Amino acid sequence: MESPGPTADYERSNTFKVDTWFSQFRNGSNPWMARYVYGLMFLLANLLAWAVRDYGNSVLIEMDRLKGCDGSHDCLAAEGVLRVSLGCFMFYFSMFLSTAGASKLNESRDTWQSGWWSAKIVLWIAFIILPFLLPSAIIKLYGLVAHFGAGVFLLIQLISIISFITWVNDCCRSSKSERCQIHTMLIATTAYVVSLVGIILMYIWYSPDPSCLINIFFITWTLVLLQLMTSVSLHPKVNAGILSPGLMGLYIVFICWFAIRSEPVAGNLCTRKAEASKHRDWLTIISFVIGVLAMVIATFSTGIDSKCFQFKKDETESEDDVPYGYGFFHFVFATGAMYFAMLLIGWNTNHTMKKWTIDVGWTSTWVRIVNEWIAVCVYLWMLVAPIIWKRRQTAESVV
């Protein structure tokens, strides 16, 4: 009888590794892989909400419980998005309640977080279906609450991004290596150049005429905020360097561009790109796909960044500690469910959204602009707050 060759041994080894991986994943010992599954479920909810908005009216209009819309096409589309969003919110909020406070691996909440997938998939489907059985009055109430929840999501995302920028800046400043300092200067210079080029292009594309006062104001004020952040960061008492305001400049220029892009095309003569593309084409579809993926990725990355919201930074970690905050992770996804609903309906249940569009409307524009201003205020406060607290402590010690 011939002995099995090396190929057979290799195949058995790989089969054993795969079986072990699936066993660990099913039994709740792989929290890192679990987060990707939750992200995939969130993406599916986004796509379902989009499909209901753009292609589900013929089905929704036949449902007796949706007659509160009086058969209105736009109302049904917005309500369909809100119903999917509500189901997604209920799932992640229930996961938040059941995993909040988990601190150690292999405890019951950790097992629930990383395992029991058959039960959780059934739970997710049930939560998605349940809102379609509710009356329109409850859905409208949820739509009002979702505005607040989406704002909470934007604030959490904002703090996470600013914390990451300050962390990168501190790491580069703490290094005494000459090479690292050169790299820091190159990155900062590139950030400023890209920011200024972006501002110039926005002037060319979105304010071709002096009558475009609102766009001129948005772009000019962004330039002023960029200069303000740089001045405060380079002030001798702050001395935060040039990298963090450069990266923040990229961020606020992007937000300003996104805000102006959210302006409705109809009757908007201040957008040359809108005039050149009055019909839905493949660029619109690509923009929509990128927008959805960017939103899912932003929710995912913010959800695993719970450490920037910890008040006690000096706690030592042990090997059996959970790798990320499970409760915070699901809370971000719950507010993210409200956020994607606002993007798909333009922050207004009575707003008409065309197919393959996302976050379009004057409400969306002003939400983005206010988000930009809040970002600058939070960043400046993070620069100035240590100085203020130090002065207060000095004054109290003197007294």
Side-chain angles (χ1 to χ4, degrees), residues 14 32 39 46 88 124 180 188 203 247 281 316 321 328 336 343 386 399:
N14 283 345
W32 287 111
N46 278 257
C88 185
W124 181 79
C180 184
Y203 273 122
L247 296 177
D281 54 9
T316 57
D321 286 343
F328 178 81
L343 294 186
V399 174

Side-chain angles (χ1 to χ4, degrees), residues 323-372:
Y324 55 91
Y326 297 159
F328 178 81
F329 177 84
H330 292 294
F331 179 77
V332 170
F333 272 81
T335 55
M338 296 180 172
Y339 178 64
F340 81 67
M342 294 298 102
L343 294 186
L344 289 175
I345 66 175
W347 297 80
N348 189 347
T349 56
N350 298 320
H351 177 60
T352 302
M353 294 287 290
K354 296 182 179 180
K355 289 184 178 181
W356 295 98
T357 59
I358 185 171
D359 201 21
V360 175
W362 284 111
T363 305
S364 300
T365 298
W366 280 105
V367 167
R368 295 291 179 184
I369 290 297
V370 172
N371 186 37
E372 175 192 348

